[in-house]
Amino acid sequence: MKNEVQVKGKFHYRLIGWKYSIWVRLLLFLLLALIFYMSLYVKLVPQVYDIQLGAVSEKTIYAPRQIENAVATEQAKEDAAKRVQPVYRVVNLKNDALIDAIYDKLLQINVDEEVKFDDKVSIYRRVIPQLISELENQSVKTLRNSGQYNDSLLEQIQQGLAEQQYQLPEEAFFKLPRLTKEDLTAMLPVTKDIVSKLMNDQILDAQTARAKVAELVNTSNLTKNTSRELVTEIVRAVITPNKFFDQKGTDDARGQARESVKPVYINKNDVLVNVGDVITEEIYARLDNLELLKDKANHLPQLGLAILAALLSFVVFMFVRQSTLPITYNNSQLVMLILIFLINVAGMKIISLGQNMDYPYIGYLAPMALGSILITILLDAPLAFISSVLFSLMASIIFNTEHMLLFDFRYGLVSLVICFVAVFTIQRASQRATILKAGLMISFFSMLTITAMMLMEDQFSQKEAIMSLSFAAAGGLLTVVFVIGLLPFFEVAFGILSPLKLVELSNPNHPLLRKLLTETPGTYHHSVMVGNLSEAAAESIGADGLLCRVGSYYHDIGKTKRPSYFIENQTNIENPHDRIDPNLSKSIIVAHPRDGVEMLKDFKMPKPIRDIAEQHHGTTLLHFFYHKAVKQAEEEGADNGIREEDFRYPGPKAQSKEAAIVGIADSVEAAVRSLRNPTLEQIDSMVHKIIKSRLDDGQFNECDLTLKELDTIAKTLNETLLGIFHSRIEYPSELASKKTGT
């Protein structure tokens, strides 16, 4: 095969290029060492500057640790006061009393037959607005007497009530006198109910609440249009604002905000001097206090850091070199590993920027187990354990706040514990909920480890304990967020088919599986059975059982293009192959792997799934149609030029254990299903016959299945079939009974 080569005795082929170049591999490990060096440089190499008083700075100087900034503190207080939102107070204005007063007045006047209609109209035109004003004034007076409200707020309340008072329309005064006692009795509870609902909300603008009245009235039990119309107007008149601006409360809140502002510090890594700034006495003194002024720089720490970075990279190199994983020779996976290292270290570096006097324990917030989880899911658990040790070592340096020590064992220990816990929790993840479980476990064990250290030191304050445990708890959740966000990127960018992705693809609601179920139910059932068989067989030899199961679900998806030409879908219909030429039948049958691959490509299915669909038949012979063609040629007296090669699947042969196992399970399931009442001996014979036939046909020549593994697969398939077809299997004792007639 062009541009392909077999590597380390394995039976699969790989393209020659940068992915397998030893020089690219060397550069990648050098890049990893550079990442280690740069990420630890600030912590392990003291930064000093040759600065003269009155000179112009030639570079930007950053603070190596925290120092107070009085000017910025005052500005922060002003900013805090500006950020305070206006304070509003919600008051109870006793709108129910106003409703009762209005309805009492209506009932009193309407039942008085001596009062003329025009007089009633005039009375209502004068009395109702007066009732509203009086009740509002009484409410304000009650609030003033309570002593809970300041004068400026009471003035705002009175002004707001006056400005937003509702004026009843003139036609309402002519309709009110016509209301009967029964009408008023029906209207009163509806009015109270609607006003109660609306006034339960905080109302700053009464007009907004009044706009909702008509809808609420229309859904009430009032049947008369006049009653509905007048209830609408009365409710609008009763509705008032109940939320008012409190100037004094706002001023007090802003004062408290100013007082609550803590001193502002020039944090670590903040700019002290910009390029081109003149070094004033204040700046010079600040640099001197931070020990940034020295005559000579010491280069020995750089050399020590370079050696340390080389050692860390060498540890990864030696483990990868001795591994049996594809990362041993696949530079693409090595790039992914380095990218995970970079992301994990970047996360720790970003969190370390927030370390200061107020939050010295913010390092526990860092997603230190992020890299371990990603490596476990995407690469390998043992590699994740080695990486966890390196992450822990780097965390103890990055989050070290003790200038006299190179390492802070607290962060290293916590990181080591949570990384190991994450690997143990996630290594057999089969659904994304497991990631959340891992996050909770990270939070719990991080808090547990911190608690243990604090109890042993016995020199911690309540504030330190609360901060440390809070950051630790949040760190586990932050790790979950980043893992869930980054995992799809790695799966797509590097073509990784993780267990979590496989579980998603196994969802019966996937469009292709729904298509398979609705259009070819027989093939769907066959695929599910093949999935059960292949998963058990794969797990028995240490192959990827989940990949086999999901690959089995999709391996015959190509049959949906011509479902009636496959026997499992020929329920109560004539076999169309009986009426067509065997060459045409052969073309239809062998096309389903190719059709399946095209359909899977259209749905952007991962390559391992497509490979199983393409390779599960390998280059096996279609015995039935081959012999049918030979027999037909003999009957027609034609020259028997029929070749076996013309009746074989196009292949390729299985390139992986998983593809080979699915192919075996596919043939075994179809063969056993054809037996009406299978016996244990028939099943065992059938399984071994199929495996031997494929072995003799060279179908396993390009995958790394051994004879021992094939024997294990056969035993596992027998056991699984025994469970699946248990009720149909005839046992030897039953056969003997039939023969003896007992």
Side-chain angles (χ1 to χ4, degrees), residues 343-589:
I343 292 173
N344 201 72
V345 172
M348 290 191 288
K349 293 290 290 182
I350 292 172
I351 296 297
S352 70
L353 298 178
Q355 276 188 310
N356 52 45
M357 293 177 63
D358 294 324
Y359 302 101
Y361 304 107
I362 198 173
Y364 296 128
L365 178 64
M368 293 179 280
L370 168 64
S372 300
I373 294 177
L374 290 175
I375 294 172
T376 304
I377 295 175
L378 301 172
L379 292 169
D380 181 56
L383 180 58
F385 283 120
I386 295 298
S387 302
S388 296
V389 175
L390 300 183
F391 292 145
S392 302
L393 178 63
M394 297 182 72
S396 66
I397 297 175
I398 292 174
F399 295 113
N400 177 31
T401 55
E402 301 292 335
H403 298 288
M404 302 301 295
L405 300 174
L406 294 178
F407 305 92
D408 189 333
F409 77 93
R410 295 172 297 179
Y411 296 102
L413 178 59
V414 171
S415 177
L416 186 65
V417 170
I418 63 176
C419 286
F420 275 33
V421 166
V423 175
F424 283 124
T425 306
I426 208 73
Q427 61 180 327
R428 292 194 176 275
S430 60
Q431 49 187 319
R432 305 218 177 247
T434 310
I435 298 177
L436 178 58
K437 177 185 176 183
L440 296 176
M441 296 293 287
I442 289 171
S443 296
F444 173 75
F445 278 94
S446 179
M447 295 170 67
L448 189 62
T449 307
I450 293 170
T451 301
M453 291 189 297
M454 289 190 298
L455 292 176
M456 287 186 291
E457 289 181 351
D458 196 21
Q459 295 180 351
F460 61 92
S461 65
Q462 183 178 1
K463 178 182 177 182
E464 291 175 344
I466 293 175
M467 288 175 56
S468 299
L469 296 177
S470 298
F471 284 134
L477 302 180
L478 186 64
T479 302
V480 171
V481 172
F482 278 110
V483 170
I484 293 176
L486 290 171
L487 193 56
F489 162 75
F490 282 101
E491 289 175 342
V492 173
F494 293 93
I496 299 296
L497 191 56
S498 68
L500 302 177
K501 182 66 175 179
L502 284 171
V503 171
E504 289 180 357
L505 294 177
S506 68
N507 190 331
N509 289 321
H510 190 284
L512 283 179
L513 293 184
R514 287 206 309 268
K515 179 181 179 68
L516 190 68
L517 174 61
T518 56
E519 298 181 10
T520 57
T523 300
Y524 178 84
H525 180 263
H526 161 71
S527 299
V528 172
M529 299 293 287
V530 172
N532 294 333
L533 294 171
S534 61
E535 182 179 38
E539 291 180 348
S540 70
I541 63 169
D544 193 337
L546 185 57
L547 174 59
C548 285
R549 171 180 286 276
V550 179
S552 298
Y553 291 165
Y554 294 92
H555 80 288
D556 275 343
I557 192 66
K559 291 183 178 181
T560 57
K561 287 200 172 184
R562 305 172 189 86
S564 62
Y565 286 88
F566 298 91
I567 190 169
E568 66 266 24
N569 300 312
Q570 295 171 0
T571 304
N572 299 324
I573 63 172
E574 181 184 358
N575 189 341
H577 292 291
D578 294 339
R579 297 179 281 102
I580 61 176
D581 185 77
N583 282 284
L584 178 58
S585 296
K586 178 266 301 184
S587 300
I588 294 173
I589 298 299

